[in-house]
DNA sequence: TAATAATCGAGACGGTACGTCACGTCTTTTT
DNA sequence: AAAAAGACGTGACGTACCGTCTCGATTATTA
């Protein structure tokens, strides 16, 4: 959640009533984060957050539309989420850096993230928050970096950049949410290698140049 | 979840009083499917299934470990899951066929599937059933077909096949579970094109010529 | 509730600040009366009155000690409560007139009155207001008229007049608050008849003759 | 509440399910009675009773229609309500005995009784229970005793007996619910004296016998 | 005329009860 | 012996009202 959205910084509204107490919001987010880390998403319950934060349930219902969206905000409050996209000029190097960090994040916070994404499937409010405040923003950042690379001639001009996002980060989410294989740096490296060099053998089929690719696994 | 517990294949139990357990199971699955399609995963509740199927809650608890796993089984009972993998000898054509069908499935049953995957994130029993009875089986089928193609020289020998699965089907799941862009046949075609031909520009992997074409999309 | 607090006649306090707005009081009483008639006593809530009257809750808490006492005041504001006691010189005729009117009042406003009396049982502020502003005043008016009649020889000199009040009006309240039989003019007439003539058979108060007549009613 | 009504004695229903736990009912009534005596009617809350009795709220909602009716049943469970009507053959003596006991009851348990009657004014379920299980029964008992007296010639044959009930017990309830004067034995004695001998002076008006009554107050 | 100060609107907040729902365990009776 | 029927405890849900508490705007006195 953002500095502009739900909890307007104090003294923004000229309204006449009592101003929103900022410490209440902090206490709530702290309590929610604590429950989130200890019990996972299903532990983030309005009743428990209220009790833990010494806050009325009514207050929670007033400011958050569902326990899920509260948990989501608490999570983002925790990890101020830099994960910024580097730009060294070399797109493969930057993607490698980024995906290594992402894989590390999934390995450490995977359970919480998976819980949030899972809960979003049956909580429209959480789904909306997740989409607007996370998914679209991150896609946009990635697509912008990829566009720069395309302009620089490091990606073929006819390639759809959104699709690339799904084939890199989406592949990682796949292994998080439908677990079968590990999410390690080898995996992200292969993602990049496959995608850049292609998996088709060199030669006749198609006009790719003779650029042989490095061994994968 | 066990091969002996959950859905005993017909006439497995040696129960003496020759219980009529099989029609009970059918009624339960029918009721669960009805609830699943009308109210989604959160509507599949032991209490409601019991009432709808005219069955005791105790019976449900005996055979299913959680409402989620019951819903999962009901879903698979519904769609006996043909989605078989064709083998025409041309891997790109077969992948295209398969992914078109998969995209169609996600467009029609996406909500239910997303609900099940979402619920699995906080229901270990459902997660186990999903993994054992769905995820691993489908990965295996896909990997086997890809292995055939690799043997046939249609895929480079050094490519890791599991990774390909994540970059094709995983990318689709990504768009299902963290929605931002549509899942249409154009998308799946681009997935295949990107992956086979690679996204790097042709020629020496170094800096491409200045004749850049205009960005796609 | 006090003669100085609640509805101070305008311009009593010499305080320096802004004076109490009389129209506020009117709006509040009108809103309370509306709620009282539509939803009964339990509908007269500070929150709802405040919203309906366009008034702050603080204002209500300042001027009324409980929702019940506000409802009570609203009710008396509505029915300026004349129900004056006639004095034609004939106490039986006057009582009959008065009790007919009272029975009519209970039949039309019985629910509201019963609600107020009922709420008073668990609202000391309302109970105090009811006692001071209603019960004692009405008892006093009745007792005064009865005293006149006693002086005039229409009531035996040794009779306690307070007790009569309970045996006439109290009997009506009984049927209002613990309903079992109707409150009609026949009832009030019988109250008066019983009380004036007594229910004992004529003749020596000892054992009456065996000639019992058939039961009335 | 009775051994036949709300909580059907065990083994009445041929239903298949688990039988109602009798100890649960006992624990609930004990807890409700405790709260009733300590905090009055407003203290008898489903939430508090559930917590005190170690019982689920759901159970309370299943068996009692409102906190008020639970409190009512608990009260009657406490005072198994002897207050039987004596029949010595002398109606005035029996009424005196009865009303002395009743006045004592009101002096000792007046607050609780007033609370129950008051709550009944805004709780239809409690009102129904009160009417069916208390008011009508007690009126009937009294009317039957009075009918016997009337048959024995101790009450004039044309007198309506229901009205008498309101003029004796109803007068006491009046002083309980709209307090102004004490409820002592002097009061109940005067009620009887007034009613039997009448309050009209002897002589011309009407044919009452010469039996002058002793001074009242 | 301007400062003063009570009054009032709006509304946030903690607290407590309400009534509902589903879960999971347990018991009783029927088949 | 299995199954239905269902009672029960647990605990979250979402709503309503109460009573207290700020803010900021209003307005009638008093300086």
């Amino acid at each position: 959640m953002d500095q502009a959205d739900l909890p307007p910084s104090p003294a923004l509204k000229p309204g006449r009533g009592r101003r929103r107490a900022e410490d209440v919001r902090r206490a709530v987010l702290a309590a929610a984060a604590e429950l989130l880390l200890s019990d996972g998403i299903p532990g983030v319950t309005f009743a428990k957050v209220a009790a833990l934060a010494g806050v009325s349930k009514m207050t929670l219902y007033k400011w958050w539309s569902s326990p899920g969206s509260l948990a989501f905000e608490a999570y983002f409050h925790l990890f101020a989420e830099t994960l910024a996209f580097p730009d060294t000029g070399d797109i493969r190097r930057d993607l490698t850096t980024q995906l290594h960090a992402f894989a590390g994040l999934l390995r450490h916070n995977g359970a919480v993230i998976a819980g949030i994404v899972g809960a979003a499937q049956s909580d429209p409010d959480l789904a909306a928050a997740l989409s607007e405040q996370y998914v679209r923003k991150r896609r946009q950042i990635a697509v912008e970096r990829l566009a720069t690379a395309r302009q620089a001639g490091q990606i073929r001009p006819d390639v759809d950049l959104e699709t690339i996002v799904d084939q890199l980060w989406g592949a990682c989410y796949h292994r998080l949410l439908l677990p079968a294989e590990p999410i390690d740096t080898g995996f992200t490296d292969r993602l990049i290698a496959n995608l850049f060099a292609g998996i088709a053998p060199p030669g006749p089929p198609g006009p790719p140049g003779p650029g042989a690719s490095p061994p994968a696994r």
Side-chain angles (χ1 to χ4, degrees), chain A residues 21-162:
Chain A
E22 193 53 27
D23 46 337
V24 165
R25 183 173 170 261
R26 263 195 300 275
V28 168
L29 290 182
E34 186 178 332
L35 287 167
L36 181 61
L37 294 185
S38 65
D39 304 357
I41 273 271
V44 182
T45 248
F46 274 172
K48 279 196 273 188
V49 171
L52 188 56
V55 142
S56 163
K57 274 198 301 171
M58 274 306 300
T59 304
L60 301 184
Y61 283 106
K62 175 167 295 187
W63 296 106
W64 288 275
S65 48
S66 73
S69 61
L70 168 54
F72 171 72
E73 187 177 338
Y75 176 75
F76 270 61
H77 206 250
L78 269 185
F79 304 87
E81 284 310 318
T82 37
L83 273 195
F85 214 114
D87 186 349
T88 66
D90 180 350
I91 185 64
R92 285 193 64 161
R93 196 206 297 178
D94 291 351
L95 283 174
T96 300
T97 304
Q98 230 287 329
L99 285 172
H100 281 190
F102 185 56
L105 176 71
L106 293 190
R107 271 199 310 277
H108 288 82
N109 286 91
V112 172
I113 296 173
I116 291 177
V117 176
Q121 306 308 319
S122 54
D123 179 342
D125 294 304
L126 171 52
L130 194 55
S131 172
E132 287 160 25
Q133 301 178 238
Y134 181 74
V135 175
R136 295 191 189 280
K137 286 185 180 172
R138 308 223 118 249
R139 286 192 87 106
Q140 190 186 337
I141 292 173
V143 165
E144 280 168 4
R145 178 66 189 85
L146 291 169
T148 305
R150 189 166 60 181
Q151 218 116 29
Q154 297 175 335
I155 294 177
R156 278 217 312 277
D158 59 313
V159 168
D160 177 53
L161 304 179
E162 291 284 358

Side-chain angles (χ1 to χ4, degrees), chain A residues 186-216:
Chain A
F187 171 59
T188 58
D189 291 346
R190 287 194 299 278
L191 289 176
I192 295 171
N194 281 358
L195 199 56
F196 271 81
I199 62 173
S213 40

